[in-house]
């Protein structure tokens, strides 16, 4: 189920997502969003609506400090693990913890968080997760040099995934991460 797309444009992260809830061959169009803001972050999830509900409503997203790569892979992930455990959603297999997959935008940078809690930042400045990810990535790649606004590129990527994947459906929604606060003395 799902496609969540994200891209960095003009130093801001923009996300788009679909509304499909899929179980086997059953499709439910969900009203609850797969993309949202949590503090200064924009987030969009796949894998589980329960995980998304915890990210949206229970996760007390820590304010970024210092080196963002280090922060995301340590402080952010540690808070995330605690939230998912407390919410009864974290899984453990062969003594390895697992979560789900989602995109996170913060301070003009886009990250993917995978089910083993790894943090990945795409060099291309765009990413997609979910069953429609490859279709959306193709559209994002094809529109990269066309000078289109972020929302238009996201809409084209979501439309491509919706047209070619049975696990993706409208309505599509969009969110943009808040601007990075001005640096002192800048």
């Amino acid at each position: 189920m799902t496609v969540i797309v994200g891209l960095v444009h003009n130093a801001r992260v923009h996300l788009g997502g679909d509304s499909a809830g899929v179980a086997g061959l059953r499709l439910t169009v969900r009203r609850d969003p797969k993309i949202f803001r949590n503090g200064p972050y924009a987030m969009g999830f796949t894998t589980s609506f329960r995980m998304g509900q915890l990210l949206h409503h229970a996760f007390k997203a820590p304010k970024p400090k210092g080196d963002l790569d280090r922060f995301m892979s340590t402080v952010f992930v540690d808070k995330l693990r605690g939230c998912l455990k407390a919410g009864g959603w974290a899984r453990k297999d062969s003594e390895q913890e697992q979560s789900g997959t989602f995109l996170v935008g913060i301070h003009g940078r886009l990250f993917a968080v995978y089910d083993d809690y790894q943090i990945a930042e795409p060099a291309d400045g765009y990413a997609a997760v979910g069953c429609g990810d490859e279709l959306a990535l193709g559209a994002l790649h094809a529109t990269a040099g066309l000078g289109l606004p972020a929302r238009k590129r996201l809409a084209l990527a979501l439309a491509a995934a919706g047209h070619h994947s049975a696990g993706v459906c409208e309505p599509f929604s969009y969110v943009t991460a808040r601007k990075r606060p001005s640096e002192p003395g800048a």
Side-chain angles (χ1 to χ4, degrees), residues 19-39:
S19 298
V22 179
L25 293 176
R26 189 180 79 222
L27 169 69
T28 302
V29 177
R30 300 281 298 241
R31 186 180 302 209
D32 44 334
K34 294 181 189 177
I35 60 169
F36 47 85
R37 282 195 196 126
N38 182 330

Side-chain angles (χ1 to χ4, degrees), residues 2-7 13-18 32-46 51-64 71-72 75-77 79-81 83-84 101-107 109-113 119 129 173-178:
T2 299
V3 67
I4 303 298
V5 295
L7 66 93
V13 176
H14 305 267
L15 299 181
D18 78 321
D32 44 334
K34 294 181 189 177
I35 60 169
F36 47 85
R37 282 195 196 126
N38 182 330
Y41 300 89
M43 298 182 173
F45 68 91
T46 184
M51 182 192 74
Q53 291 162 350
L54 291 169
L55 286 173
H56 193 182
H57 302 294
F59 183 47
K60 302 294 186 228
K63 291 187 180 181
F71 172 84
M72 291 297 293
V75 175
F76 183 89
V77 165
K79 280 281 240 188
L80 172 65
R81 287 175 54 226
C83 174
L84 296 179
T101 302
F102 60 100
L103 296 181
V104 179
I106 182 70
H107 293 172
R109 293 177 65 185
L110 175 64
F111 299 94
V113 180
I119 303 291
V129 294
S173 56
Y174 305 88
V175 69
T176 300
R178 293 188 176 117

